[in-house]
């Protein structure tokens, strides 16, 4: 059974490490802004296991001046291509709407661009490299 909830930072670190920083030190899983009082972290659980995560920061982008930034979204590899990412995003959009947020944006890995397009995001600008991580693009959507 799936359930979505707001979680403490410690709850998202293991999946960040597994999916986004595999082979790198655990310290690389902590992002600027993680501890900001306005930042929140969310997870979608199957039974008691976090299978999708994301962090939401009160950071705007020139293309999304009223936006919230999504960072560190990850889906457990055992649940990839099973609709978990889409389910997580639906819960996130509902939560953001309830908070009065109208714009969501992220720096998406180039390999995840098609996922975000399916979620209603559009690409903004050219691809850029995140050193040690790889090519990314800015993507965003109105809620």
């Amino acid at each position: 059974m799936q359930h979505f909830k707001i979680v403490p930072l410690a709850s998202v670190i293991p999946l960040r490490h597994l999916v986004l920083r595999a082979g790198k030190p655990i310290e690389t899983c902590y992002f600027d802004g993680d501890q900001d009082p306005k930042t929140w972290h969310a997870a979608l659980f199957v039974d008691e296991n976090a299978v999708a995560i994301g962090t939401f920061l009160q950071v705007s982008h020139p293309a999304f001046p009223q936006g919230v930034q999504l960072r560190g979204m990850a889906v457990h590899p055992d649940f990839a291509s099973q609709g978990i990412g889409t389910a997580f995003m639906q819960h996130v959009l509902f939560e953001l709407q309830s908070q009065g947020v109208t714009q969501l944006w992220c720096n998406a890995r180039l390999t995840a661009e098609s996922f975000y397009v399916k979620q209603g995001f559009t690409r903004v600008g050219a691809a850029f490299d995140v050193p040690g991580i790889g090519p990314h693009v800015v993507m965003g959507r109105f809620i």
Side-chain angles (χ1 to χ4, degrees):
M1 175 170 228
Q2 293 180 12
H3 63 282
F4 175 86
K5 64 183 179 179
I6 308 302
V7 297
L9 173 60
S11 297
V12 302
I13 296 300
L15 198 50
R16 270 189 195 172
H17 194 232
L18 177 69
V19 176
L20 302 176
R21 298 295 189 266
K24 297 187 183 304
I26 192 80
E27 295 79 22
T28 65
C29 296
Y30 293 89
F31 302 157
D32 289 343
D34 270 344
Q35 302 284 358
D36 187 292
K38 295 178 184 172
T39 296
W40 53 278
H41 312 278
L44 182 67
F45 291 83
V46 170
D47 299 320
E48 295 306 313
N49 301 308
V51 297
I53 57 161
T55 295
F56 301 87
L57 299 98
Q58 303 299 312
V59 176
S60 65
H61 181 276
F64 302 98
Q66 305 301 315
V68 166
Q69 183 184 15
L70 165 60
R71 288 199 69 190
M73 183 175 168
V75 173
H76 193 286
D78 292 348
F79 291 85
S81 302
Q82 295 181 30
I84 293 293
T86 296
F88 177 76
M89 190 61 68
Q90 289 170 343
H91 286 287
V92 162
L93 293 172
F94 180 81
E95 177 64 29
L96 290 168
Q97 279 182 320
S98 74
Q99 295 178 16
V101 175
T102 59
Q103 302 169 1
L104 178 63
W105 71 279
C106 65
N107 291 323
R109 290 176 187 227
L110 206 52
T111 56
E113 183 175 11
S114 64
F115 166 79
Y116 286 104
V117 167
K118 290 176 188 170
Q119 306 308 312
F121 286 68
T122 56
R123 182 177 179 166
V124 177
F128 59 94
D129 189 62
V130 175
I133 306 299
H136 283 64
V137 291
V138 172
M139 301 199 72
R141 64 163 288 166
F142 293 90
I143 300 172

